[in-house]
Amino acid sequence: MSTVGIVGLGLIGGSFAKAYREKGWRVLAHDIDRSTLDFAALSGAINGELTAEALADCDLILLSAYPAASIEYFREAAAHIGQKPVVVDCCGTKRVVCAACFPIAAEHGVTFVGGHPMAGTHNSGFKYSRSNLYHGAPMVLVPPDRDDIALLDRVKTLLAPAGFGRFSVTTAEEH
């Protein structure tokens, strides 16, 4: 069984959690609000908590918190991630996040790709999340090397349960 770790269970992270659970993935999550984490578990959107010990077992880790929180989480967790998972951030701003996370990933031998799911609603929070939020939506990817076709293919495969309609590859500056 494949495992996804999700950091932040708002609209974006919660929707990823529900989409991956529907596709049979094991979903582990981290959220600073314990009540959100507990509710996600009770509602069946997640299997359990994403702990430092569980990071290296994930196939995919999605950073779905606000940019500063995602960067801080990645900085603290990078030493525990290892080489197996691909880490994709889901923040809208690419320059700040990629500028901070690419060096952290390189230092710890972690595979990191910037990302921006082009989907959402005017509502926020886990209670508005839904498994089909990304169906047909575009996903922007900002890899450290735009010519690494194997990595891009791996990321597209790992993101398939979300149901994105198309992918585009760019730089943080162009985004």
Side-chain angles (χ1 to χ4, degrees), residues 7 9 16-17 23 47 66 80 92 109 114 139-141 143 161 170 173:
V7 178
L9 286 174
F16 274 121
K23 297 296 182 183
N47 298 89
Y66 289 115
H80 304 282
M139 176 67 166
V140 177
L141 298 175
T170 189
E173 294 74 30

PDB file of all heavy atoms in Angstrom, residues 7 9 16-17 23 47 66 80 92 109 114 139-141 143 161 170 173:
ATOM      1  N   VAL A   7       1.007  17.583   5.275  1.00  0.00           N
ATOM      2  CA  VAL A   7       1.260  18.578   6.314  1.00  0.00           C
ATOM      3  C   VAL A   7       0.281  19.729   6.087  1.00  0.00           C
ATOM      4  O   VAL A   7       0.378  20.443   5.098  1.00  0.00           O
ATOM      5  CB  VAL A   7       2.718  19.074   6.257  1.00  0.00           C
ATOM      6  CG1 VAL A   7       2.952  20.147   7.310  1.00  0.00           C
ATOM      7  CG2 VAL A   7       3.680  17.914   6.426  1.00  0.00           C
ATOM      8  N   LEU A   9      -4.036  20.375   7.123  1.00  0.00           N
ATOM      9  CA  LEU A   9      -5.309  19.780   6.720  1.00  0.00           C
ATOM     10  C   LEU A   9      -6.394  20.843   6.498  1.00  0.00           C
ATOM     11  O   LEU A   9      -7.537  20.669   6.905  1.00  0.00           O
ATOM     12  CB  LEU A   9      -5.779  18.759   7.757  1.00  0.00           C
ATOM     13  CG  LEU A   9      -5.028  17.443   7.761  1.00  0.00           C
ATOM     14  CD1 LEU A   9      -5.479  16.564   8.926  1.00  0.00           C
ATOM     15  CD2 LEU A   9      -5.202  16.698   6.447  1.00  0.00           C
ATOM     16  N   PHE A  16      -6.609  16.729  -0.559  1.00  0.00           N
ATOM     17  CA  PHE A  16      -5.648  15.686  -0.927  1.00  0.00           C
ATOM     18  C   PHE A  16      -5.891  14.435  -0.087  1.00  0.00           C
ATOM     19  O   PHE A  16      -5.905  13.314  -0.610  1.00  0.00           O
ATOM     20  CB  PHE A  16      -4.207  16.161  -0.739  1.00  0.00           C
ATOM     21  CG  PHE A  16      -3.631  16.903  -1.904  1.00  0.00           C
ATOM     22  CD1 PHE A  16      -3.178  18.204  -1.749  1.00  0.00           C
ATOM     23  CD2 PHE A  16      -3.507  16.305  -3.148  1.00  0.00           C
ATOM     24  CE1 PHE A  16      -2.625  18.899  -2.818  1.00  0.00           C
ATOM     25  CE2 PHE A  16      -2.953  16.983  -4.226  1.00  0.00           C
ATOM     26  CZ  PHE A  16      -2.517  18.291  -4.055  1.00  0.00           C
ATOM     27  N   ALA A  17      -6.065  14.600   1.211  1.00  0.00           N
ATOM     28  CA  ALA A  17      -6.279  13.450   2.101  1.00  0.00           C
ATOM     29  C   ALA A  17      -7.482  12.633   1.645  1.00  0.00           C
ATOM     30  O   ALA A  17      -7.405  11.401   1.523  1.00  0.00           O
ATOM     31  CB  ALA A  17      -6.461  13.929   3.547  1.00  0.00           C
ATOM     32  N   LYS A  23      -8.655   6.487  -3.091  1.00  0.00           N
ATOM     33  CA  LYS A  23      -7.887   5.652  -4.018  1.00  0.00           C
ATOM     34  C   LYS A  23      -7.132   4.535  -3.302  1.00  0.00           C
ATOM     35  O   LYS A  23      -6.327   3.831  -3.905  1.00  0.00           O
ATOM     36  CB  LYS A  23      -6.891   6.502  -4.820  1.00  0.00           C
ATOM     37  CG  LYS A  23      -7.563   7.533  -5.704  1.00  0.00           C
ATOM     38  CD  LYS A  23      -8.415   6.877  -6.769  1.00  0.00           C
ATOM     39  CE  LYS A  23      -9.027   7.939  -7.672  1.00  0.00           C
ATOM     40  NZ  LYS A  23      -9.916   7.377  -8.670  1.00  0.00           N
ATOM     41  N   ASN A  47      -5.481   7.987   8.047  1.00  0.00           N
ATOM     42  CA  ASN A  47      -5.282   6.762   8.816  1.00  0.00           C
ATOM     43  C   ASN A  47      -4.608   7.015  10.147  1.00  0.00           C
ATOM     44  O   ASN A  47      -4.733   6.210  11.066  1.00  0.00           O
ATOM     45  CB  ASN A  47      -4.423   5.769   8.035  1.00  0.00           C
ATOM     46  CG  ASN A  47      -5.072   5.340   6.755  1.00  0.00           C
ATOM     47  OD1 ASN A  47      -4.879   5.977   5.738  1.00  0.00           O
ATOM     48  ND2 ASN A  47      -5.859   4.282   6.783  1.00  0.00           N
ATOM     49  N   TYR A  66       0.574  27.024   5.115  1.00  0.00           N
ATOM     50  CA  TYR A  66       0.992  28.327   4.585  1.00  0.00           C
ATOM     51  C   TYR A  66       2.490  28.281   4.288  1.00  0.00           C
ATOM     52  O   TYR A  66       3.219  27.483   4.881  1.00  0.00           O
ATOM     53  CB  TYR A  66       0.683  29.434   5.591  1.00  0.00           C
ATOM     54  CG  TYR A  66      -0.796  29.723   5.721  1.00  0.00           C
ATOM     55  CD1 TYR A  66      -1.472  29.479   6.915  1.00  0.00           C
ATOM     56  CD2 TYR A  66      -1.515  30.239   4.650  1.00  0.00           C
ATOM     57  CE1 TYR A  66      -2.831  29.740   7.039  1.00  0.00           C
ATOM     58  CE2 TYR A  66      -2.879  30.498   4.766  1.00  0.00           C
ATOM     59  CZ  TYR A  66      -3.529  30.252   5.959  1.00  0.00           C
ATOM     60  OH  TYR A  66      -4.867  30.505   6.078  1.00  0.00           O
ATOM     61  N   HIS A  80      14.821  13.606   8.648  1.00  0.00           N
ATOM     62  CA  HIS A  80      14.121  12.343   8.903  1.00  0.00           C
ATOM     63  C   HIS A  80      13.499  11.743   7.643  1.00  0.00           C
ATOM     64  O   HIS A  80      12.992  10.624   7.685  1.00  0.00           O
ATOM     65  CB  HIS A  80      13.007  12.548   9.935  1.00  0.00           C
ATOM     66  CG  HIS A  80      13.485  13.127  11.220  1.00  0.00           C
ATOM     67  ND1 HIS A  80      14.137  12.385  12.180  1.00  0.00           N
ATOM     68  CD2 HIS A  80      13.443  14.392  11.690  1.00  0.00           C
ATOM     69  CE1 HIS A  80      14.460  13.159  13.197  1.00  0.00           C
ATOM     70  NE2 HIS A  80      14.048  14.386  12.927  1.00  0.00           N
ATOM     71  N   GLY A  92       1.010  28.550  -2.997  1.00  0.00           N
ATOM     72  CA  GLY A  92       0.873  29.331  -4.217  1.00  0.00           C
ATOM     73  C   GLY A  92       2.152  30.047  -4.618  1.00  0.00           C
ATOM     74  O   GLY A  92       2.471  30.148  -5.787  1.00  0.00           O
ATOM     75  N   GLY A 109      19.680  15.353   1.023  1.00  0.00           N
ATOM     76  CA  GLY A 109      19.471  14.284   0.044  1.00  0.00           C
ATOM     77  C   GLY A 109      18.016  13.934  -0.165  1.00  0.00           C
ATOM     78  O   GLY A 109      17.670  12.777  -0.435  1.00  0.00           O
ATOM     79  N   GLY A 114       8.696  21.920  -6.221  1.00  0.00           N
ATOM     80  CA  GLY A 114       7.694  22.933  -5.943  1.00  0.00           C
ATOM     81  C   GLY A 114       6.419  22.596  -6.698  1.00  0.00           C
ATOM     82  O   GLY A 114       6.455  22.006  -7.770  1.00  0.00           O
ATOM     83  N   MET A 139      -2.005  21.494 -12.543  1.00  0.00           N
ATOM     84  CA  MET A 139      -1.009  21.463 -11.476  1.00  0.00           C
ATOM     85  C   MET A 139       0.289  22.004 -12.053  1.00  0.00           C
ATOM     86  O   MET A 139       0.772  21.507 -13.071  1.00  0.00           O
ATOM     87  CB  MET A 139      -0.812  20.038 -10.951  1.00  0.00           C
ATOM     88  CG  MET A 139       0.286  19.895  -9.908  1.00  0.00           C
ATOM     89  SD  MET A 139      -0.113  20.735  -8.368  1.00  0.00           S
ATOM     90  CE  MET A 139       1.085  20.050  -7.259  1.00  0.00           C
ATOM     91  N   VAL A 140       0.841  23.016 -11.411  1.00  0.00           N
ATOM     92  CA  VAL A 140       2.110  23.595 -11.821  1.00  0.00           C
ATOM     93  C   VAL A 140       3.217  22.936 -11.008  1.00  0.00           C
ATOM     94  O   VAL A 140       3.119  22.847  -9.783  1.00  0.00           O
ATOM     95  CB  VAL A 140       2.122  25.124 -11.601  1.00  0.00           C
ATOM     96  CG1 VAL A 140       3.481  25.712 -11.968  1.00  0.00           C
ATOM     97  CG2 VAL A 140       1.008  25.793 -12.386  1.00  0.00           C
ATOM     98  N   LEU A 141       4.263  22.490 -11.688  1.00  0.00           N
ATOM     99  CA  LEU A 141       5.408  21.871 -11.019  1.00  0.00           C
ATOM    100  C   LEU A 141       6.657  22.711 -11.253  1.00  0.00           C
ATOM    101  O   LEU A 141       6.887  23.191 -12.364  1.00  0.00           O
ATOM    102  CB  LEU A 141       5.646  20.460 -11.570  1.00  0.00           C
ATOM    103  CG  LEU A 141       4.508  19.460 -11.363  1.00  0.00           C
ATOM    104  CD1 LEU A 141       4.825  18.155 -12.072  1.00  0.00           C
ATOM    105  CD2 LEU A 141       4.249  19.229  -9.881  1.00  0.00           C
ATOM    106  N   PRO A 143      10.368  21.825 -10.624  1.00  0.00           N
ATOM    107  CA  PRO A 143      11.414  20.898 -10.193  1.00  0.00           C
ATOM    108  C   PRO A 143      12.766  21.608 -10.111  1.00  0.00           C
ATOM    109  O   PRO A 143      12.955  22.662 -10.722  1.00  0.00           O
ATOM    110  CB  PRO A 143      11.420  19.844 -11.305  1.00  0.00           C
ATOM    111  CG  PRO A 143      11.007  20.613 -12.518  1.00  0.00           C
ATOM    112  CD  PRO A 143      10.023  21.656 -12.038  1.00  0.00           C
ATOM    113  N   PRO A 161      -3.678  10.106  -7.979  1.00  0.00           N
ATOM    114  CA  PRO A 161      -4.902   9.935  -7.209  1.00  0.00           C
ATOM    115  C   PRO A 161      -5.710  11.233  -7.012  1.00  0.00           C
ATOM    116  O   PRO A 161      -6.910  11.171  -6.769  1.00  0.00           O
ATOM    117  CB  PRO A 161      -4.410   9.391  -5.859  1.00  0.00           C
ATOM    118  CG  PRO A 161      -3.141   8.682  -6.206  1.00  0.00           C
ATOM    119  CD  PRO A 161      -2.510   9.540  -7.267  1.00  0.00           C
ATOM    120  N   THR A 170       7.555  24.747 -14.883  1.00  0.00           N
ATOM    121  CA  THR A 170       8.077  26.088 -15.016  1.00  0.00           C
ATOM    122  C   THR A 170       9.176  26.313 -13.970  1.00  0.00           C
ATOM    123  O   THR A 170       9.544  25.387 -13.239  1.00  0.00           O
ATOM    124  CB  THR A 170       6.956  27.133 -14.877  1.00  0.00           C
ATOM    125  OG1 THR A 170       7.457  28.420 -15.207  1.00  0.00           O
ATOM    126  CG2 THR A 170       6.366  27.145 -13.474  1.00  0.00           C
ATOM    127  N   GLU A 173      10.661  31.627 -10.847  1.00  0.00           N
ATOM    128  CA  GLU A 173      10.626  33.005 -11.328  1.00  0.00           C
ATOM    129  C   GLU A 173       9.514  33.217 -12.357  1.00  0.00           C
ATOM    130  O   GLU A 173       8.835  34.229 -12.354  1.00  0.00           O
ATOM    131  CB  GLU A 173      11.975  33.400 -11.948  1.00  0.00           C
ATOM    132  CG  GLU A 173      13.121  33.452 -10.950  1.00  0.00           C
ATOM    133  CD  GLU A 173      13.595  32.062 -10.516  1.00  0.00           C
ATOM    134  OE1 GLU A 173      13.500  31.095 -11.309  1.00  0.00           O
ATOM    135  OE2 GLU A 173      14.011  31.917  -9.340  1.00  0.00           O
TER     136      GLU A 173
END
